[in-house]
Structure formats: structure tokens, C-alpha cells
Amino acid sequence: MQLSKEQLMIQKMAREFARKDLMPMAAERDQKHEYPADSLKKMGELGLLGMLVPEEYGGEDMDTVSYALAMSEVAYACASTAVIMSVHDSICCGSLLRFGTEEQKQKYLVPMAQGEFVCSFALSEPEAGSDPAGMETTAVRDGDHYILNGTKRWITGGATSELFIVLAKTDPEAGHKGISAFLVTKDMEGFSTGRLEDKMGQCASDTTDLLFNNCRVPADHLLGKEGQGFVVAMSGLDDGRIGIAALSLGVGQAALDQAVEYSKQRVQFGKPIAKNQGLRWMIADMATDVEAARLLVLNAAAKKDNGQKCSKEASMAKLHASEMANRVTGQAIQIHGGYGYTKEFPVERLYRDARVLTIYEGTSQVQKVVIANDVIGDKKKGKK
């Protein structure tokens, strides 16, 4: 795919920032579970936290291809920072842009796009992940407020974000049509966060429960119309999946580069291991895997930019890229041998960071359902 001069400039800017600011701190932040607050502030100043938002709301009004390129560069340096960027940019800013009132956009979207604070998306629950209709969090109208009760789980940025888009049932009998979306700030009465999850990877990005105990949310903080929450959630899936696919691409590329560099330096039997045919074939497979992911990501992003339906392509990109990241990071550790199993080398962190990529923003199995339904032509109620 031929990139424009503007897209190449954005890629270069993101790469230079990520390699200079994020990469030197990535291992330490991972070990200390340290949120990258300073880096996020700089990213806001560079426009990386409002890439898809129009200029009239404080954003950069960039295309999806540029967003994917920047995301890959950030993830190459630090996957923890990249997932914060992905949730904030694609799902949260996008949802406010599509469904927010003018007042909501001015109050929340403008400062979000400028990186003044980070927003998180709260959909998953202890008993509801891939099936949003199974959520148990409720929102009951009480005069000029809604009263929220329930628990949200696996929320990226739960302890650090200032604003949350929370999905809750306003009509428990209506299934997915009874779900509504709300803008919740951390200072609202009845809202608190649970313990920090002790995760396998992406440790500089906090993940917590959100607890709602008769949380009073002003009625004007309803995002979209009552009963439109499922539509709000689904509307951001293409952007979100392209974002995570691009994140996966960055992790996979980083692992490939680390493996190539190490194979040239490591000497066994009197020669660099890069001279061994078996290892060269491993690297050839890894490079092909990464490049296939890159083309799928850019294809999905380009189709979206062209106004074409891209749900299948976004799912294909997310499916392949996330599985690729797991394969390639595993092969990178194999090439490093015992050293790859230690925290002395970056591939150990990349391997841990990659594992969750096949789970969030829709599991690999969910992506296959989406792809198969599109290819086969199944409708929700039968077949064509």
C-alpha cells in the first residue's frame, strides 16, 4: 500500500516520540506497574490522543490509516501505553463524537482530544464479556438522575481515568435493546474502583473493577438515547479492532526486530546463529507473518477511510494480527534461547504483552463468528 507524504510524516513523528520517550521506560514501568502519566501528557500535546476527532472539537482530524500507523509505533515501544491510547482514541472519543450532545462534546470531547484527561469504556462484567446482553448493571431513572448499581470488570484505566462510558440496563426485559450508555466521572456519588488486577502483561496499564452502589448520574449524562447503549458499543468496534490489530502489529514487529538483532550477535559453533538455515527459515516465517498482518491492518483502515463497510476486514485484521503477535513473540523467545526467558531481554515482556491481544476487543473466536457470518451470508434470523 502506498502511503501519502502526510501519513509518512505522522508515522515518523510517532516513531521518533515512541523510541525516545516510551521505549527507554517501558521495562521499568512494566516491573513497577507504573502508569505512563507523563508520556500521555506529551502524547496529548502531539495530538496522539485525538487523532480521529475533528479540529472543531480539538482533535487532529486524521484518517484511520494514520491512526493505525501511529498506534503501531507506540505499541512497538510500549504496549501498555498503546492500549490506553486505543481505548481513549477509538472507542471513547469515537462514541462521544457519534452520540454526544453538543454540550457533552464541549465539556468532555474537547479536553479528551487535547489529552487533558483519559477516558475509559466500561462494558464487561463478571458474568458478561462477549455477550453484552447478559450484563446485570442497572440504571433506574429517579427524577433528574439515573441510579446505577452493579460491577464492571477488566476496565482498562479504571483507577486512572477521569471519565468513563458505562453501559447499563435501563430496561432489563428488553435484552440488548434495553441497554443505555452513561458518562460517569470518578467524583460521582456512589462510584468507586476495586483492586488493581495483578496481570500477566501490559502491567503499566491499570485494570480494575468499577463499583456502582446507588451511583447518582445526572440525566443529561445519558450518551445517546435511552436504549441505544448497545448501538453505542457496537459502533466503535471497527475502530477498536483496527486499533488493537495495529497494536498487535507493533508488538510483533518489535519481537521480529529483536530476534533478528540477537541472531546476528549470538555466536555458536564459531558463527552467528543467523547463519543457520533452520533459524533463517524461522525468521522468514516471522517476517511473512508480520507483513501479512500489516497489509490486513492497512486494508481495513483504508476501507474505513473510503467510507466502505469494513467490519469483516477489521475482524480479519484483529484476528490475524493478534494471533501473529503471539506466534512471533514466542518464536523470538525461542531464538533467544534461555536468555529470552529472562527479563534482561525485551522479548520476555513482549511475549507477556501479546497474550491478551487475542482476548480483548473481541476474542479470536468472536472475530471468526463475525468473519464467517459475512462470508457465508448468515443473517441474524436465518440465511439469505
Side-chain angles (χ1 to χ4, degrees):
M1 178 178 175
Q2 186 68 36
L3 300 176
S4 69
K5 290 183 179 179
E6 291 77 10
Q7 290 166 341
L8 289 170
M9 286 176 59
I10 293 166
Q11 183 184 43
K12 182 181 178 183
M13 176 273 290
R15 177 176 297 170
E16 290 176 349
F17 166 77
R19 305 288 171 92
K20 180 180 179 181
D21 188 280
L22 298 177
M23 188 174 288
M25 295 293 294
E28 182 178 348
R29 283 172 171 167
D30 172 76
Q31 292 173 9
K32 293 182 178 180
H33 294 215
E34 179 183 314
Y35 186 74
D38 292 342
S39 295
L40 289 168
K41 183 178 180 180
K42 295 176 184 177
M43 290 170 66
E45 294 170 354
L46 290 171
L48 293 172
L49 296 183
M51 294 190 71
L52 302 175
V53 178
E55 292 181 3
E56 63 182 300
Y57 295 116
E60 300 298 319
D61 201 17
M62 295 181 184
D63 56 30
T64 314
V65 169
S66 297
Y67 170 65
L69 293 170
M71 176 64 68
S72 292
E73 295 298 337
V74 172
Y76 185 102
C78 179
S80 293
T81 305
V83 72
I84 298 167
M85 174 182 169
S86 178
V87 173
H88 178 88
D89 268 78
S90 60
I91 304 178
C92 295
C93 286
S95 296
L96 261 163
L97 182 63
R98 286 184 290 270
F99 297 96
T101 64
E102 186 62 26
E103 182 180 358
Q104 289 171 343
K105 291 175 183 177
Q106 292 297 332
K107 184 175 182 179
Y108 294 119
L109 182 58
V110 171
M112 284 167 57
Q114 296 173 346
E116 293 182 20
F117 61 83
V118 173
C119 182
S120 291
F121 195 80
L123 173 62
S124 296
E125 297 187 1
E127 301 300 329
S130 299
D131 177 21
M135 72 173 58
E136 297 179 354
T137 299
T138 59
V140 178
R141 185 69 182 256
D142 179 29
D144 293 334
H145 289 77
Y146 283 87
I147 309 301
L148 270 62
N149 282 284
T151 299
K152 293 296 180 179
R153 182 148 292 172
W154 316 122
I155 308 306
T156 299
T160 49
S161 294
E162 298 292 329
L163 179 70
F164 302 86
I165 297 176
V166 180
L167 282 294
K169 282 190 173 180
T170 44
D171 184 356
E173 304 302 320
H176 69 272
K177 293 183 179 180
I179 299 172
S180 301
F182 299 89
L183 298 171
V184 179
T185 56
K186 64 191 309 181
D187 59 349
M188 288 182 178
E189 178 187 348
F191 171 64
S192 61
T193 58
R195 67 178 178 84
L196 287 170
E197 295 291 344
D198 189 7
K199 300 181 299 182
M200 174 182 180
Q202 299 190 12
C203 296
S205 166
D206 59 284
T207 301
T208 68
D209 285 356
L210 303 184
L211 311 175
F212 301 95
N213 183 16
N214 292 324
C215 177
R216 297 183 63 81
V217 179
D220 62 5
H221 278 56
L222 178 69
L223 182 62
K225 299 178 181 178
E226 191 169 298
Q228 203 176 19
F230 186 79
V231 176
V232 171
M234 296 300 105
S235 71
L237 283 180
D238 289 345
D239 281 342
R241 287 170 178 171
I242 291 171
I244 298 303
L247 192 165
S248 303
L249 172 61
V251 172
Q253 184 68 63
L256 171 61
D257 289 351
Q258 290 288 329
V260 170
E261 181 180 355
Y262 182 81
S263 71
K264 292 178 179 179
Q265 297 174 355
R266 175 67 167 168
V267 174
Q268 290 287 277
F269 303 105
K271 63 181 179 180
I273 60 174
K275 297 293 185 180
N276 296 322
Q277 185 180 63
L279 187 142
R280 296 172 75 88
W281 284 5
M282 286 178 66
I283 289 177
D285 287 340
M286 293 162 69
T288 302
D289 219 359
V290 170
E291 191 61 22
R294 189 187 326 279
L295 295 175
L296 283 168
V297 170
L298 294 178
N299 177 62
K303 292 199 75 167
K304 187 176 187 306
D305 287 336
N306 291 331
Q308 298 173 275
K309 185 176 182 296
C310 66
S311 295
K312 177 187 71 176
E313 288 77 12
S315 285
M316 285 179 166
K318 200 274 180 181
L319 171 65
H320 178 79
S322 62
E323 295 287 350
M324 172 279 294
N326 277 271
R327 287 191 295 269
V328 169
T329 54
Q331 289 167 321
I333 285 182
Q334 191 72 18
I335 289 171
H336 279 70
Y339 290 109
Y341 198 63
T342 71
K343 295 185 185 296
E344 181 180 354
F345 287 81
V347 289
E348 181 271 343
R349 171 171 50 84
L350 294 171
Y351 183 77
R352 290 186 289 105
D353 286 346
R355 187 60 194 90
V356 74
L357 297 174
T358 62
I359 298 173
Y360 59 37
E361 205 65 56
T363 65
S364 291
Q365 290 70 32
V366 166
Q367 307 308 327
K368 290 179 181 180
V369 170
V370 173
I371 296 165
N373 286 348
D374 189 287
V375 173
I376 297 171
D378 290 341
K379 292 184 177 180
K380 290 183 179 180
K381 296 182 180 179
K383 298 181 179 180
K384 291 182 180 179

